Amino acid sequence: MPANVQDNLLSYGLAFTGAVIWATYCTVTTRIAIGKNGITLFFMLTALTLWAKYLVGGGGSMDFSLHALIYLALAASAMGFGYAAWNVGILLGNVTILAGAAYFIPVLSAALAALSLSTPLSLSFWQGAAMVCLGSILCWFATRAQPPKLACRSQT
């Protein structure tokens, strides 16, 4: 594994940075949002960053077709609604259930992508997905609030 990280340092570094930024975003959102949904600003900053990367990195030409535009609209809608729902859940919902559901969403996403691309998913994928979902359920059971126990006093 260390050799793989060394060979792909940029990829692992970006993934780690993304995980830290996402955790920070989810933690800070509740405190600084004051009940407002800040996802629009997040998307504007993300779009600005990606366009800057595209222009600086000399991105290739863009080919537009009806098929590509439909997929773009569907992907943008799914991401936009997903992030907006996540933000509403962070601000107003039960964060424990939201976090549990977050483990299942990538499984559903992979299944839909495999269906869309006509690519079968291996048995090891489904075993891993089942373990992640089971782990999420176990974490939920471990962290949910327990009803207070009543102390029994013996009368003597």
Side-chain angles (χ1 to χ4, degrees), residues 18-91:
V20 170
I21 290 171
W22 182 250
T24 303
Y25 171 77
C26 291
T27 304
V28 171
T29 296
T30 314
R31 294 192 179 128
I32 66 172
I34 313 168
K36 304 279 192 262
N37 194 337
I39 201 67
T40 304
L41 177 62
F42 175 76
F43 268 103
M44 288 174 23
L45 293 173
T46 302
L48 186 65
T49 302
L50 291 174
W51 277 112
K53 181 191 176 300
Y54 175 77
L55 294 173
V56 169
S61 65
M62 292 188 208
D63 297 323
F64 292 100
S65 68
L66 181 61
H67 190 258
L69 291 174
I70 290 171
Y71 271 97
L72 176 65
L74 290 173
S77 298
M79 288 180 62
F81 285 123
Y83 277 103
W86 178 267
N87 228 34
V88 169
I90 289 281
L91 294 174

